[in-house]
Amino acid sequence: MELPTWFQSAMEQRMLEVLARIERHTELRFSRAEEEEAWKVLFAGTDKAHSPEFMDWEDKHHFRRAMESEMLYVQGMRDGVQLIVALLNEASEHDAEPGDN
């Protein structure tokens, strides 16, 4: 089942709204600050210019994880829509059965 373009756009907009809310989430902001501090400690006294391979790997790793998360979200939305459509079809077929009037 192919989703309409308007629905895909609505899903993308919703995802952007959720991501913006996540960025402002208090616990996650605290967690990001802790992670950033741990990162600084990890490389304290190390010249990061001498580890470009690691930085390149890390960028690719995070990009891949972001793509996976987006794909999982979109698939979850598709699955949810398919479930709703199936349930609505079943309900309308049940309502249309003779003798229910």
Side-chain angles (χ1 to χ4, degrees):
M1 176 175 121
E2 192 64 31
L3 295 176
T5 303
W6 67 266
F7 188 74
Q8 288 180 350
S9 296
M11 287 186 340
E12 289 172 10
Q13 181 62 36
R14 174 67 176 151
M15 185 172 56
L16 292 175
E17 291 170 7
V18 170
L19 287 172
R21 190 173 346 131
I22 287 171
E23 287 294 318
R24 294 186 307 266
H25 192 275
T26 305
E27 289 179 34
L28 291 175
R29 286 176 56 182
F30 179 74
S31 179
R32 277 192 293 280
E34 283 184 330
E35 180 183 2
E36 185 177 333
E37 187 60 32
W39 178 258
K40 289 176 184 176
V41 169
L42 177 65
F43 286 104
T46 303
D47 183 4
K48 293 179 188 162
H50 288 86
S51 61
E53 296 83 6
F54 177 78
M55 301 299 274
D56 183 50
W57 169 83
E58 183 182 40
D59 288 343
K60 290 176 181 176
H61 172 75
H62 289 294
F63 181 74
R64 179 184 57 82
R65 293 297 306 250
M67 287 184 359
E68 289 173 351
S69 294
E70 182 178 347
M71 292 169 67
L72 288 170
Y73 175 81
V74 170
Q75 186 59 52
M77 290 295 293
R78 285 183 176 147
D79 293 347
V81 168
Q82 288 176 349
L83 177 61
I84 290 169
V85 168
L87 291 172
L88 290 173
N89 284 341
E90 184 176 320
S92 67
E93 289 173 5
H94 181 316
D95 291 343
E97 289 181 11
D100 283 349
N101 298 8

